[in-house]
Amino acid sequence: MGTGLESGNDDGAITLTKSELQKRIDIVKSATNDNQIFDIWGKFSSGQSAEKIQNDVLSNDGIVTAISYRPFDIRWTFYSGKSCGWIFRPRNKNIIGQVINSETSPIGNNIGLVFAKQTTSRFEWDGIFISDKVIVKHYVDYPAKSTGYFAPLYLRPEGLETKWQPNFNAEKFEHLTKFLTEKPTPIEVLDYIYGILFDPVYRIRFSEYLRRDFPRVPVINAPKESDDDFVVTEEMFHFYVIAGERLRKLHLMQTKTPAPIEIAPPTATDLEIGAIKYKDGVLQLNPSKQITGIPEEVWNYRIGGYQVLDKWFKSHKRMTMTIDDFDHIANVVGLLAETIKIQDDLRELTAKLNKQQH
């Protein structure tokens, strides 16, 4: 487990498109003086320099990679794993590359849970998300508590090791699953954790504890010791695994759920994102353009301290929307609506099963 990377300067090291990143890399590689690199960065963090950044890209040890910048906001950077180069403080080495022991991992690319510690917010706790890419430190963000931690499902092989190993402490894993009749797979445990931490009943009941430290989940099928216990039976465990899997695939955008939003008027002009304003299902993109069909509960939905859609549009201000951007937003609107539905189902199911236990 570790924090997300610190670029040192997002405006220089991270770009909206892969082509823009490649253009910057080419400039840095061929630069004959520091000013050419400084013109891109604007400023360097302590320990960084134009020379170190140039040497980083000339070493051929790094890769061009997508990066999880904010929820559902994928950008691009150059990653070598070296400090004070293109990236000031790199992290997340275990998320780069493929999980090669496919017989034990059905997920392909490595994935990991992203969460905050000691969150503060006037809204319902929402400090959990997921990524299959390198994340930045502020991927989840709260006032005065702005560090996103990342726990990959698998660890990259080191030394003579050839297989990616599950990232579980053996003692903790045994404690979590000791009352189950059959040991779960690593992905089932991740899905269980993800499912229960999206359960509104669990979030509200343990809000104080979830905000206080790293989020925790109950030992599965543990005997009830007091009326305050939140007992997760084997039946509930499997429900959480199913819900967690659905949420995981939605949030990694492996499941496409485009919503029927529309641009009004329906022309391909005047699509620059301005000072947005949302009201009654209509997003005013700029003075002459609107996006219609976004439900209010979807517009207000928050993940990791961010109001997701509001943050995306404000982070892309002055950018002209493309067809791909519009399709992306349609998919995000749809998957957030499906996330809300899954949470409603969990709320109903958990309340019902907890009632049966009393």
Side-chain angles (χ1 to χ4, degrees), residues 77-341:
T77 195
F78 176 84
Y79 187 98
S80 69
K82 298 176 182 177
S83 297
C84 295
W86 191 279
I87 297 296
F88 176 50
R89 291 180 178 169
R91 301 285 190 274
N92 313 152
K93 68 175 182 177
N94 285 300
I95 208 67
I96 299 292
Q98 298 284 323
V99 176
I100 59 176
N101 51 327
S102 58
E103 70 278 6
T104 58
S105 172
I107 61 170
N109 286 332
N110 203 6
I111 61 176
L113 295 179
V114 184
F115 43 86
K117 181 183 181 182
Q118 296 179 329
T119 61
T120 57
S121 175
R122 61 188 177 89
F123 300 97
E124 177 185 297
W125 182 86
D126 56 12
I128 184 73
F129 202 48
I130 197 165
S131 180
D132 58 359
K133 300 173 179 65
V134 176
I135 70 164
V136 298
K137 183 178 180 180
H138 298 285
Y139 189 45
V140 293
D141 208 359
Y142 292 84
K145 302 290 182 182
S146 301
T147 298
Y149 288 84
F150 184 83
L153 181 58
Y154 286 88
L155 297 177
R156 176 184 286 276
E158 294 186 357
L160 298 177
E161 183 62 62
T162 59
K163 290 186 177 181
W164 292 65
Q165 298 298 321
N167 183 25
F168 289 110
N169 176 284
E171 183 179 343
K172 299 293 185 183
F173 182 85
E174 175 60 28
H175 181 65
L176 179 69
T177 62
K178 64 182 178 180
F179 296 111
L180 279 171
T181 55
E182 184 177 343
K183 290 298 180 185
T185 63
I187 190 63
E188 287 175 326
V189 173
L190 181 143
D191 287 338
Y192 161 63
I193 294 170
Y194 205 54
I196 194 170
L197 290 178
F198 266 91
D199 181 356
V201 175
Y202 188 78
R203 285 183 171 188
I204 292 171
R205 185 168 174 183
F206 296 102
S207 174
E208 178 184 348
Y209 300 99
L210 291 169
R211 296 179 195 279
R212 184 183 301 172
D213 205 333
F214 290 123
R216 300 186 180 190
V217 297
V219 173
I220 306 157
N221 213 27
K224 188 173 185 178
E225 297 180 356
S226 72
D227 290 339
D228 293 331
D229 286 352
F230 191 97
V231 177
V232 175
T233 64
E234 287 210 37
E235 180 184 19
M236 290 178 68
F237 167 72
H238 292 297
F239 283 130
Y240 281 128
V241 170
I242 292 170
E245 180 183 12
R246 291 171 62 194
L247 289 166
R248 164 170 57 88
K249 291 180 177 180
L250 282 168
H251 297 166
L252 293 176
M253 292 184 284
Q254 295 170 346
T255 301
K256 302 297 183 182
T257 57
I261 62 173
E262 296 180 350
I263 293 176
T267 61
T269 58
D270 299 325
L271 289 175
E272 181 176 322
I273 299 172
I276 63 166
K277 184 177 181 180
Y278 175 87
K279 185 178 181 180
D280 299 331
V282 177
L283 174 64
Q284 195 71 43
L285 193 67
N286 58 47
S288 61
K289 218 70 165 187
Q290 298 174 337
I291 296 178
T292 63
I294 303 176
E296 184 172 358
E297 62 178 355
V298 171
W299 177 258
N300 291 329
Y301 195 82
R302 307 179 71 87
I303 292 176
Y306 293 112
Q307 187 177 334
V308 176
L309 289 170
D310 180 77
K311 183 64 177 177
W312 191 94
F313 280 100
K314 287 180 178 177
S315 296
H316 291 74
K317 189 175 181 179
R318 292 183 292 276
M319 184 191 82
T320 298
M321 287 193 72
T322 65
I323 293 176
D324 287 342
D325 294 325
F326 181 79
D327 289 344
H328 173 71
I329 291 301
N331 188 48
V332 172
V333 171
L335 67 83
L336 289 179
E338 184 64 17
T339 296
I340 293 169
K341 181 179 182 302

Side-chain angles (χ1 to χ4, degrees), residues 41-56:
W41 252 256
K43 63 177 182 178
F44 300 130
S45 293
S46 177
Q48 271 185 320
S49 67
E51 181 182 9
K52 288 181 180 179
I53 292 170
Q54 186 176 52
N55 287 340
D56 196 12

Side-chain angles (χ1 to χ4, degrees), residues 20-84:
E20 174 59 26
L21 178 68
Q22 191 60 60
K23 179 181 176 182
R24 293 186 188 183
I25 291 173
D26 292 341
I27 292 173
V28 169
K29 281 184 174 181
S30 60
T32 56
N33 61 72
D34 291 355
N35 287 336
Q36 292 172 284
I37 300 174
F38 187 80
D39 286 344
I40 295 175
W41 252 256
K43 63 177 182 178
F44 300 130
S45 293
S46 177
Q48 271 185 320
S49 67
E51 181 182 9
K52 288 181 180 179
I53 292 170
Q54 186 176 52
N55 287 340
D56 196 12
V57 295
L58 288 173
S59 68
N60 294 320
D61 291 333
I63 61 171
V64 169
T65 182
I67 182 171
S68 293
Y69 190 71
R70 299 291 184 267
F72 308 115
D73 187 352
I74 306 303
R75 303 195 181 188
W76 292 86
T77 195
F78 176 84
Y79 187 98
S80 69
K82 298 176 182 177
S83 297
C84 295

